[in-house]
């Protein structure tokens, strides 16, 4: 674990509701998201991640544009993705966009790559879901080669070969920080180690400690590949309010509706209040007062040896004003308290 845990935020740009229940227009959701990123910087948080999706309930399909807007209005916060769906994108263009973002943000860009738990981008861009694994494996190999900023030579089956080509712009200082988002596949953990990328564990349910074997596997794989240990992070949902009761009551209708809607698409049953309370008590839902959330983050950081924790603070239609309040509390109260707790246990 790092001497000082990095604390960040993640959002998918969920489409929120007006007070009367009507959806906020996509354009306003995007403007609100930029304001959230600016506030995160102002209250001292380390990272803001914006996810890429191509569906009705999320406003962000081009996260790098949103991140550039945030970067232009901030000074220290790192800007990156909650996920970039590499499988349905071109690795060279992904690198170019983030190298550009890194330049205009003065070295604050990061990228989290993933296969995509939502699959709308595949038919949208003319890709076959039967190639799901092969697309990610080959494109990750090409991205890793481009990231080294040397002439690239690559051959695969998913796009034309690249023969002795340099890719521009180059990153100003060292290599672009890159993570792979992993939801619980041992193969994905080993693949992340093989490329020497940072590991971001997406833990959206169950006790965080159950991911300890993946952290151990990551360290063992790195040792086998004779690579230095990069960063390990966790991404989990949550919401912060003044009291535990207020936070749970604010979050419950929005989180349950979102999880039930997604669950219907994937064959899960609707989320019960009992399941919600169990996740809040002992699982991977970081909802409550600043002290409750701080204690839970510190515990997870200790158990998994984390370098970063990213709170997915947007939850379905939960209103922008509630998100801003949660960010304010996270930066001004939770973050200092987490670091205090970790220092006490050091």
């Amino acid at each position: 674990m790092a001497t000082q845990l990095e604390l960040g935020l993640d959002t998918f740009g969920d489409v929120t509701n007006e007070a009367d229940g009507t959806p906020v227009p996509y354009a306003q959701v995007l403007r609100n998201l930029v304001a959230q990123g600016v506030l995160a910087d102002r209250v001292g948080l380390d990272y803001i991640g914006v996810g890429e999706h191509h569906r009705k309930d999320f406003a962000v399909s081009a996260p790098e544009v949103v991140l550039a807007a945030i970067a232009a209005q901030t000074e220290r916060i790192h800007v990156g993705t909650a996920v970039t769906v590499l499988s349905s994108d071109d690795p060279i263009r992904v690198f170019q966009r983030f190298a550009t973002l890194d330049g205009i943000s003065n070295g604050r860009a990061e990228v989290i790559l993933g296969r995509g738990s939502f699959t709308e981008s595949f038919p949208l861009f003319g890709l076959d879901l039967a190639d799901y694994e092969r697309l990610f494996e080959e494109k990750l190999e090409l991205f890793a080669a481009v990231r080294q900023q040397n002439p690239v030579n690559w051959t695969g089956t998913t796009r034309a070969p690249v023969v002795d080509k340099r890719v521009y712009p180059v990153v100003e200082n060292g290599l672009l920080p890159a993570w792979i988002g992993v939801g619980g596949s041992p193969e994905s953990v080993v693949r992340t180690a093989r490329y020497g990328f940072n590991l971001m564990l997406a833990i959206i349910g169950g006790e965080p400690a159950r991911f300890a074997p993946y952290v151990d596997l990551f360290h063992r794989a790195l040792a086998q590949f004779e690579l230095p240990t990069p960063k390990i992070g966790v991404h989990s949902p949550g919401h912060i309010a003044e009291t535990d009761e207020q936070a749970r009551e604010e979050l419950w209708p929005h989180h349950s509706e979102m999880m039930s809607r997604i669950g219907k698409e994937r064959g899960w049953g609707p989320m019960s209040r009992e399941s919600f309370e169990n996740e809040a008590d002992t699982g991977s839902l970081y909802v409550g007062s600043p002290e409750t959330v701080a204690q839970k983050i510190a515990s997870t950081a200790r158990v998994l040896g984390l370098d970063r924790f990213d709170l997915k603070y947007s939850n379905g239609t939960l209103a922008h004003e509630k998100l801003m309040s949660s960010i304010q509390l996270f930066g001004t109260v939770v973050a200092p308290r987490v670091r205090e707790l970790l220092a006490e246990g050091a």
Side-chain angles (χ1 to χ4, degrees):
M1 186 165 66
T3 53
Q4 178 160 301
L5 180 71
E6 296 174 3
L7 292 164
L9 295 167
D10 282 340
T11 176
F12 296 161
D14 306 55
V15 175
T16 55
N17 281 348
E18 304 280 10
D20 63 1
T22 59
V24 173
Y26 290 107
Q28 187 60 52
V29 173
L30 293 170
R31 291 190 288 269
N32 289 347
L33 203 166
V34 172
Q36 291 157 20
V38 171
L39 176 60
D41 181 68
R42 190 180 309 140
V43 297
L45 292 169
D46 297 305
Y47 181 77
I48 176 78
V50 179
E52 172 199 350
H53 292 84
H54 303 269
R55 47 185 286 139
K56 183 179 180 180
D57 41 353
F58 300 117
V60 182
S61 59
E64 303 90 347
V65 180
V66 179
L67 292 166
I70 294 172
Q73 299 181 50
T74 56
E75 294 182 358
R76 60 173 298 278
I77 195 166
H78 280 228
V79 289
T81 43
V83 67
T84 290
V85 186
L86 186 66
S87 305
S88 57
D89 211 328
D90 184 274
I92 294 175
R93 292 296 287 147
V94 170
F95 178 83
Q96 289 176 323
R97 295 196 299 266
F98 279 91
T100 301
L101 178 63
D102 193 71
I104 64 174
S105 67
N106 196 24
R108 291 185 282 136
E110 302 184 16
V111 61
I112 300 178
L113 305 169
R115 292 180 291 185
S117 60
F118 293 97
T119 58
E120 289 83 3
S121 63
F122 290 82
L124 184 64
F125 299 122
L127 299 168
D128 190 339
L129 275 171
D131 298 327
Y132 186 80
E133 293 290 343
R134 182 161 55 98
L135 283 164
F136 187 66
E137 184 63 61
E138 288 197 4
K139 291 188 177 189
L140 184 60
E141 181 183 54
L142 177 55
F143 181 89
V146 173
R147 179 174 174 260
Q148 295 301 315
Q149 304 190 118
N150 298 317
V152 177
N153 287 281
W154 178 90
T155 302
T157 63
T158 54
R159 56 151 289 157
V162 183
V163 181
D164 201 31
K165 297 291 186 185
R166 286 189 175 272
V167 176
Y168 302 101
V170 297
V171 174
E172 191 171 26
N173 296 301
L175 300 179
L176 176 73
W179 303 68
I180 296 181
V182 174
S185 159
E187 294 80 10
S188 296
V189 172
V190 173
R191 179 192 290 124
T192 305
R194 186 168 76 243
Y195 289 111
F197 286 1
N198 300 315
L199 175 68
M200 181 59 69
L201 296 167
I203 308 180
I204 59 172
E207 293 187 17
R210 69 190 177 91
F211 276 74
Y214 295 107
V215 173
D216 179 63
L217 175 62
F218 188 54
H219 286 298
R220 286 189 285 115
L222 287 163
Q224 187 171 330
F225 296 132
E226 298 182 343
L227 293 172
T229 301
K231 293 179 180 180
I232 299 172
V234 159
H235 149 111
S236 288
H239 177 62
I240 308 161
E242 292 293 341
T243 68
D244 289 350
E245 182 181 15
Q246 180 187 349
R248 292 189 186 203
E249 291 305 316
E250 286 179 355
L251 181 60
W252 158 247
H254 306 281
H255 185 75
S256 62
E257 190 280 330
M258 176 184 67
M259 295 300 288
S260 297
R261 183 179 68 252
I262 295 170
K264 188 176 181 180
E265 298 173 6
R266 300 183 181 187
W268 313 335
M271 182 176 227
S272 68
R273 183 65 189 243
E274 181 182 13
S275 173
F276 172 82
E277 296 292 344
N278 287 339
E279 282 296 330
D281 288 340
T282 61
S284 295
L285 190 57
Y286 294 75
V287 55
S289 68
E291 180 65 20
T292 295
V293 174
Q295 291 279 356
K296 198 167 186 178
I297 292 173
S299 174
T300 299
R302 289 193 200 100
V303 167
L304 299 180
L306 299 184
D307 300 285
R308 192 164 88 201
F309 180 92
D310 289 341
L311 181 75
K312 183 186 175 292
Y313 69 96
S314 61
N315 292 275
T317 53
L318 186 62
H320 169 61
E321 293 74 20
K322 301 296 185 186
L323 303 183
M324 293 289 274
S325 177
S326 186
I327 292 168
Q328 181 78 31
L329 289 170
F330 190 37
T332 59
V333 186
V334 174
R337 180 60 175 145
V338 169
R339 290 170 179 141
E340 183 180 72
L341 289 166
L342 293 175
E344 289 173 358

